[in-house]
Amino acid sequence: MKLITAEEHISMPYANKIINDYLKTQPADPKAMKEFGQSFAEGLVAYHVTPEEMQDVDENRIKYMDKNGIDVQILSYGDASTNPDMLPAEQSIPLTQRINTDIAATVKRHPDRYLGLATLPISDPKDAAKELKRAVTELDLKGALILGTAKGGQFLDDPKFMPIFEMAAQLDVPLYIHPSMPTETIRKNYYSNMNPIGFNAIMSTPGWGWHMEAGLHVTRLILSGLFDKLPNLKLISGHWGEFVPYFLERLDEATTPVVGNPLKHPVSYYYKKNVYVTPSGMYTWPQMQLVLTEMGADHVIWAQDYPYVKGNAKDFLANTDIANDDKEKNCT
């Protein structure tokens, strides 16, 4: 059984430096930033991720894949704290181009071990669409991974972002809607004053908050009528669908009778048809069982979320109580 994992992250030192240098020039509440930084650092201790693990693609990562039964990783730029979209356009556009070119070069060096997803300057939709086209048609990347909302926490159901989705549909490639850092307002209002301090950042990000936001992101795109306009568009959602599969029936019940609802079908119709779900390393049978029941094996893709999650990606799937044909669908 060949195993392909679809959400495996890398970062580049030059990108981290460019973004961090820019952020240092921006007005911020020093006390709040210091507290959040301490909270985030303490909360992430359990993940044990080093810069070397994020950056290495030629030696240790491949050894890790061999040891843990992974045949192919689909690489993406996945450092949510240094998202290129934080930058102004004159910096974000050339930086995303450089990152995507480097991802493609890595795939070219190891064509039997890697595929790649592009990163995009989503706050500049026309340029993002152009870069997606370049990444797919010239660099042979297989789609794009979007790190959360656009600048200022703006969701992508705004009509100005339509060029990105139109291009993805035209190219017939998926867009992976990945969580990212919540805005300062969200962190302050919903995820503060918890003790110990590590709870504050960890609950606003991988513990809870960014999953809720990413799930809302996909749901808003459905409610906007996006899939009636682009019926072949494909989205990928990690962490077992960021809570949404557990609420599909409730969403249908709540939204279908709304006066003026423009959708041709219930929310669950679009979700089950246009969205593909990955575990993102959350190897938990109850969640997998529910998602398989709601979505079917054809809409589940395997992913480990390396290097944030490590371990034998193959053993869990091999030992689940599902048919071998369905396991093959999940893997490849």
Side-chain angles (χ1 to χ4, degrees), residues 241-301:
E242 317 286 7
F243 292 105
V244 178
Y246 316 113
F247 244 63
L248 286 175
E249 288 78 14
R250 180 68 164 178
L251 283 166
D252 287 349
E253 176 190 329
T255 60
T256 300
V258 169
V259 175
N261 180 354
L263 301 179
K264 296 178 181 178
H265 304 282
V267 169
S268 63
Y269 170 88
Y270 303 101
Y271 197 87
K272 295 178 182 183
K273 176 178 177 289
N274 297 92
V275 179
Y276 295 77
V277 171
T278 83
S280 303
M282 292 174 59
Y283 298 150
T284 47
W285 174 239
Q287 283 77 13
M288 183 178 185
Q289 191 173 27
L290 184 142
V291 169
L292 285 171
T293 301
E294 289 283 5
M295 309 289 293
D298 287 331
H299 278 251
V300 176
I301 302 169

Side-chain angles (χ1 to χ4, degrees), residues 9 24 28 30 46 56 70 84 89-90 94 99 110 118 124 134 138 159 166 170 199 223-224 237 267 271 294 301 313:
H9 300 306
K24 289 175 185 175
D56 174 76
I70 300 169
E90 61 270 19
I99 289 170
H110 305 284
D124 302 281
R134 183 186 81 95
E138 298 180 24
E166 289 174 336
Q170 178 185 321
F199 285 162
L223 294 174
S224 74
S237 182
V267 169
Y271 197 87
E294 289 283 5
I301 302 169

Side-chain angles (χ1 to χ4, degrees), residues 167-227:
M167 183 59 70
Q170 178 185 321
L171 296 168
D172 195 24
V173 296
L175 298 175
Y176 201 129
I177 308 298
H178 189 279
S180 190
M181 200 66 69
T183 64
E184 186 174 344
T185 300
I186 293 292
R187 299 198 308 262
K188 181 178 179 181
N189 289 346
Y190 288 87
Y191 305 102
S192 61
N193 302 317
M194 287 183 273
N195 187 44
I197 192 171
F199 285 162
N200 293 290
I202 210 68
M203 285 302 293
S204 72
T205 49
W208 185 267
W210 69 16
H211 305 298
M212 296 297 291
E213 184 171 291
L216 177 61
H217 206 146
V218 172
T219 305
R220 287 181 62 128
L221 289 171
I222 293 172
L223 294 174
S224 74
L226 179 64
F227 295 109

Side-chain angles (χ1 to χ4, degrees), residues 94-109:
L95 180 58
T96 54
Q97 291 170 340
R98 184 178 175 186
I99 289 170
N100 293 335
T101 299
D102 281 353
I103 292 174
T106 299
V107 173
K108 191 172 182 180
R109 286 198 306 276

